[in-house]
Amino acid sequence: MVSVVPVAGPYEPKALQHPKKPLLRRPTVAGAIRKSNDADLSDELLSTPTKRARVTFNPTVEEKVMETYSAKGKSVEAIRAEVRRAIELHKNGESVEYDALKELFAPADKGDPSDYDEEDEEAAAIARVDLKTYLVVLTNNASLLKGCASLVRGVLTCDWVGRDTGFVKAYIQFLGHLASAQGSYVGLVLDMLVSYFHGVRISSGRLPGYPDVSRNQLSSRIHIALKHVLSVIPAAGAALSQILTSKFPFADESKNAHMTYINNLMYLLGYAPHLKSDIFALITDRLVKIDVQMQVDLDDLDDEVAAAIVHAMSLNSSANTDGGRSDESDIDSVTSGDGLDEDSKRIKEIQSNVEKMDAILDLLFATYKPYFLDPHSHEATEMFDTLLAHFQKIILPTYRSRHTQFLLFHFSQTADYLIDQFAGTCAQLAFDSSRPAVLRQSSAAYLASFVARGVHVQPHVVRTVFELIGSKLDEIRTENEVTCRGPNLRRYGTFYAMTQALLYIFCFRWRDLLIADDVFDEDDESTPFRGQDLHWVPNIKEILFRTIHSKLNPLKICSPPIVAEFAKIAKHLEFMQVYPLLETNKRVRLSQYSSAQGSGAIRDSGLSSSDESWHQLDAYFPFDPYQLPVSKKWVEGDYVQWRGIPGLNQDDDDTEDETEEKVDVDLESEDTATDNDDE
């Protein structure tokens, strides 16, 4: 290791050198900041201990004294004059010397070192020292670089990250001075640094004539440079956010590309915490897009094929946990497709997207977790506010998002006040008449699914939400029942979405709607619920009765599988009998009440308006069983699985049950099938 120590004369320890400036002259603020930044750069690049002395000596370092700070080939004064002349001539329209100056920073030739003789190697060594001197001169003349964009681009594209520590330090100082002196180049500097977020090639640390640099060191140097630029130009954060967004990997790029980029974003947060909201919003936005496309692709496949993909991923994740292939192999795992038919290619692409989604979510769960170790801390409150903002702006408006929302599902259940906050937000959005109908209906679906599926949602919360929705339904019913001609999703979409929410909550959490004095043994199959005199919380039964039997006729609009399951459970518990109404509804044609083809409801169907299902709500509940095999561990303890009711499946002798059998899919069979697939 060689340390070059430039001095003005014979070597003296720094502490003994005589000052050349008056001792009483105060340093400028800019000078103090620059010295502080330069010191920080030295510390980070050389990896010195956190607590260090002002002067340290390393016995393994060879001290080499130079009489003046000059290059072997050219003096500093000669290079300074050359640079100034080239820039001035360029501004006057003569670019020969200017172009030669740019060429100095062209990427190094990575040819076979054995092709060089001693003279070539000596010339290359001189050129390397000269290049650093040129860089130092450009740094000191950064104010002259206005109008020299091509030269700046040339310097920014040089092979700097894999050179020796001295050159890297000089280069980072150049970036800081350039960004400070010429604000128009800040975007170019940031763009160059962020481009390395996609991954630094190991060949960048194998430059001829320089010591090898590891990939971790290369990545570290990128972040040291970016940290330095942000410290010099704090206002560069806004420009950096835009560049981070523009350079985020496309949805069809590999898992490795996404994980490399996102890991660099997480590293960036360590020294730029003010970008936390922007970075998490960016990741969430792109994750939702992958999530939606993945779900669309899975829905287009046969159920058996989709299940086989998830099962294969589970096996792969187990193999990796047991010491299977490393992440390095993911670079080459993108489907080549040379010997595959179109269906096989498509299945491999879908599996790649599922793996990508799974890996990103697993990383996000791990990243958010430290903030919620103490869910009552300021950090947890602040981070949950960030999650809620992303939910309202990104997740909620995106129909068919399947897994991203489980970040809210998991972390909101870390504390009772967070449960109240998330449920309250969903309720507020569902009741806000100023919002589009589709968002209000989606909010109602989130509220119902969260209350129904959250293990840590306490019974009093279930009752409060039930009563809150019920009172809102009474308001809507009172306002519209007089003029209502019949069921109409377009006119009363919010009413139907909230009714469906109540039906769904009842199916999963009816036990929490009972008065606490009612105690029974559900595990005893010999004592079915039929005939028991269950006592319900006041107003529960009355709310549903008024809603269901109103002129708005919600059981005709709500999703048939949910209606069928509610009818079955309500009858069995002797809570309510709705089968006669269902029989009557068979003769009701929804098309006669619909004034337009579009309903604005939560639907994604290609059916014609003459089809009854076009005028009915979709059975969309965002917290249906989680399917991603690696990241599912984060939510397993938060999730209410479907629980059957003893004696319910034995009621096959009534005419009402014949009606039930005509329903294609009910909640129990659908949910049980999904849960079994997860296992």
Side-chain angles (χ1 to χ4, degrees):
M1 178 176 180
V2 178
S3 175
V4 179
V5 182
V7 296
Y11 175 76
E12 296 177 315
K14 186 174 182 179
L16 300 179
Q17 291 181 4
H18 300 291
K20 297 182 180 180
K21 297 181 180 179
L23 291 175
L24 296 179
R25 181 174 178 179
R26 295 180 178 273
T28 62
V29 174
I33 293 175
R34 183 177 297 111
K35 289 180 180 179
S36 175
N37 288 337
D38 291 350
D40 290 342
L41 282 176
S42 299
D43 296 338
E44 291 187 88
L45 288 169
L46 297 175
S47 300
T48 53
T50 302
K51 187 174 182 180
R52 54 189 181 277
R54 296 180 62 86
V55 179
T56 59
F57 297 92
N58 187 338
T60 64
V61 175
E62 175 187 351
E63 297 288 352
K64 190 169 185 178
V65 181
M66 303 181 66
E67 293 184 359
T68 60
Y69 183 72
S70 62
K72 292 183 180 180
K74 300 178 182 178
S75 67
V76 175
E77 290 74 14
I79 291 179
R80 184 182 298 114
E82 180 184 338
V83 169
R84 285 178 173 270
R85 183 173 62 253
I87 292 175
E88 290 173 1
L89 290 174
H90 168 70
K91 292 181 178 180
N92 291 325
E94 300 179 24
S95 298
V96 175
E97 294 187 37
Y98 179 83
D99 291 340
L101 183 59
K102 288 191 299 182
E103 190 64 26
L104 292 174
F105 292 93
D109 181 12
K110 298 181 178 64
D112 187 351
S114 62
D115 294 338
Y116 294 89
D117 55 26
E118 292 183 3
E119 292 183 1
D120 292 334
E121 179 57 34
E122 183 178 356
I126 294 174
R128 289 194 292 271
V129 176
D130 277 353
L131 187 64
K132 179 182 176 183
T133 308
Y134 277 104
L135 188 61
V136 171
V137 170
L138 286 173
T139 300
N140 294 331
N141 290 274
S143 59
L144 302 178
L145 294 178
K146 184 177 181 179
C148 300
S150 59
L151 174 59
V152 170
R153 288 191 181 94
V155 178
L156 294 181
T157 56
C158 79
D159 293 323
W160 67 275
V161 72
R163 295 179 185 264
D164 63 89
T165 300
F167 184 92
V168 172
K169 178 187 173 185
Y171 190 87
I172 295 175
Q173 289 173 339
F174 166 76
L175 297 180
H177 280 71
L178 177 67
S180 178
Q182 304 289 343
S184 59
Y185 294 134
V186 171
L188 289 176
V189 172
L190 296 176
D191 190 89
M192 179 272 292
L193 294 173
V194 174
S195 66
Y196 286 104
F197 279 22
H198 294 280
V200 185
R201 295 181 179 275
I202 194 63
S203 58
S204 298
R206 302 291 185 268
L207 300 180
Y210 293 95
D212 289 350
V213 182
S214 70
R215 180 170 286 162
N216 286 339
Q217 288 177 298
L218 295 173
S219 297
S220 178
R221 289 175 171 184
I222 301 301
H223 286 283
I224 292 171
L226 185 53
K227 178 182 179 181
H228 179 67
V229 173
L230 291 177
S231 68
V232 173
I233 312 291
L240 178 58
S241 290
Q242 296 178 1
I243 293 172
L244 293 173
T245 299
S246 67
K247 289 191 172 295
F248 200 95
F250 293 110
D252 58 354
E253 292 189 53
S254 69
K255 180 185 84 172
N256 187 70
H258 278 79
M259 295 304 293
T260 300
Y261 195 86
I262 293 174
N263 276 316
N264 276 297
L265 293 180
M266 296 298 103
Y267 196 112
L268 170 61
L269 285 179
Y271 55 87
H274 58 286
L275 296 176
K276 178 176 65 178
S277 181
D278 289 349
I279 288 176
F280 280 130
L282 170 61
I283 298 172
T284 303
D285 178 72
R286 300 308 170 89
L287 184 63
V288 164
K289 288 180 172 59
I290 298 171
D291 195 0
V292 170
Q293 186 58 52
M294 179 196 76
Q295 193 60 36
V296 170
D297 291 340
L298 287 174
D299 289 346
D300 289 343
L301 293 177
D302 292 335
D303 291 342
E304 293 183 0
V305 176
I309 290 177
V310 175
H311 181 65
M313 284 185 55
S314 300
L315 295 178
N316 288 339
S317 64
S318 299
N320 290 335
T321 302
D322 295 336
R325 62 175 188 165
S326 65
D327 289 340
E328 293 292 333
S329 62
D330 289 337
I331 301 175
D332 302 320
S333 66
V334 180
T335 307
S336 63
D338 295 337
L340 299 175
D341 57 33
E342 290 300 319
D343 289 340
S344 299
K345 289 181 188 177
R346 187 157 175 271
I347 289 174
K348 277 194 164 291
E349 290 172 359
I350 294 173
Q351 182 171 346
S352 175
N353 282 334
V354 174
E355 291 176 348
K356 184 193 312 175
M357 181 79 194
D358 199 8
I360 296 174
L361 266 175
D362 191 50
L363 174 61
L364 285 181
F365 275 116
T367 301
Y368 282 116
K369 179 182 177 180
Y371 292 95
F372 293 92
L373 292 177
D374 178 5
H376 297 279
S377 65
H378 173 72
E379 291 76 11
T381 302
E382 186 180 63
M383 181 53 72
F384 194 72
D385 288 341
T386 299
L387 280 170
L388 272 181
H390 298 163
F391 169 72
Q392 296 181 58
K393 296 177 181 178
I394 301 171
I395 300 174
L396 180 63
T398 306
Y399 178 54
R400 295 182 71 92
S401 176
R402 180 65 181 82
H403 293 92
T404 310
Q405 56 265 28
F406 274 88
L407 292 168
L408 274 300
F409 184 81
H410 173 68
F411 291 110
S412 64
Q413 293 191 70
T414 57
D416 289 342
Y417 86 97
L418 296 179
I419 290 175
D420 293 342
Q421 191 173 353
F422 181 55
T425 299
C426 292
Q428 182 180 7
L429 294 172
F431 300 155
D432 187 354
S433 59
S434 66
R435 293 182 177 270
V438 66
L439 289 184
R440 297 202 301 272
Q441 294 167 29
S442 183
S443 299
Y446 269 96
L447 177 61
S449 193
F450 177 66
V451 171
R453 291 292 202 169
V455 163
H456 304 290
V457 177
Q458 298 300 316
H460 75 272
V461 176
V462 177
R463 296 168 189 168
T464 300
V465 169
F466 208 94
E467 293 172 358
L468 181 65
I469 295 176
S471 63
K472 188 65 178 179
L473 287 172
D474 278 342
E475 290 180 17
I476 299 175
R477 178 182 54 78
T478 303
E479 292 173 2
N480 295 280
E481 198 164 24
V482 175
T483 58
C484 177
R485 295 174 51 245
N488 189 326
L489 180 57
R490 180 179 176 82
R491 284 180 177 271
Y492 316 116
T494 302
F495 179 85
Y496 298 124
M498 292 182 183
T499 303
Q500 181 161 289
L502 285 191
L503 300 182
Y504 190 80
I505 292 173
F506 183 89
C507 289
F508 277 90
R509 303 298 291 262
W510 60 266
R511 297 164 181 83
D512 295 325
L513 300 176
L514 294 170
I515 295 177
D517 292 340
D518 283 344
V519 180
F520 46 81
D521 186 3
E522 289 190 58
D523 296 328
D524 187 358
E525 294 283 349
S526 63
T527 57
F529 293 117
R530 184 186 290 271
Q532 287 192 359
D533 187 17
L534 301 179
H535 297 87
W536 301 90
V537 172
N539 294 325
I540 294 296
K541 186 179 295 187
E542 292 78 6
I543 287 171
L544 275 177
F545 186 88
R546 289 193 300 267
T547 299
I548 288 172
H549 291 88
S550 69
K551 289 180 64 176
L552 281 71
N553 195 359
L555 295 191
K556 183 62 180 178
I557 298 291
C558 293
S559 174
I562 295 173
V563 170
E565 191 66 22
F566 169 78
K568 184 167 56 175
I569 295 175
K571 174 180 178 293
H572 182 75
L573 298 177
E574 299 182 0
F575 175 79
M576 188 179 299
Q577 177 64 271
V578 298
Y579 281 110
L581 179 57
L582 296 184
E583 287 296 322
T584 301
N585 279 344
K586 291 179 181 179
R587 298 187 290 273
V588 176
R589 305 302 301 171
L590 291 176
S591 56
Q592 64 181 314
Y593 300 107
S594 178
S595 57
Q597 186 170 345
S599 65
I602 303 176
R603 296 209 57 80
D604 184 23
S605 171
L607 300 174
S608 66
S609 60
S610 60
D611 192 295
E612 285 289 281
S613 62
W614 179 257
H615 304 283
Q616 294 174 316
L617 281 174
D618 195 3
Y620 173 67
F621 290 97
F623 299 119
D624 280 348
Y626 195 95
Q627 295 178 326
L628 301 178
V630 175
S631 55
K632 92 182 269 190
K633 63 179 179 289
W634 292 98
V635 300
E636 285 178 333
D638 304 324
Y639 201 72
V640 172
Q641 303 291 350
W642 176 260
R643 296 167 61 187
I645 302 174
L648 178 58
N649 295 326
Q650 299 173 8
D651 304 329
D652 298 328
D653 52 352
D654 294 333
T655 57
E656 291 90 344
D657 298 319
E658 296 176 3
T659 303
E660 298 170 28
E661 294 174 0
K662 296 179 181 179
V663 180
D664 292 334
V665 181
D666 63 20
L667 284 179
E668 182 178 2
S669 61
E670 181 180 12
D671 194 79
T672 302
T674 311
D675 292 343
N676 288 339
D677 288 342
D678 292 344
E679 295 174 1

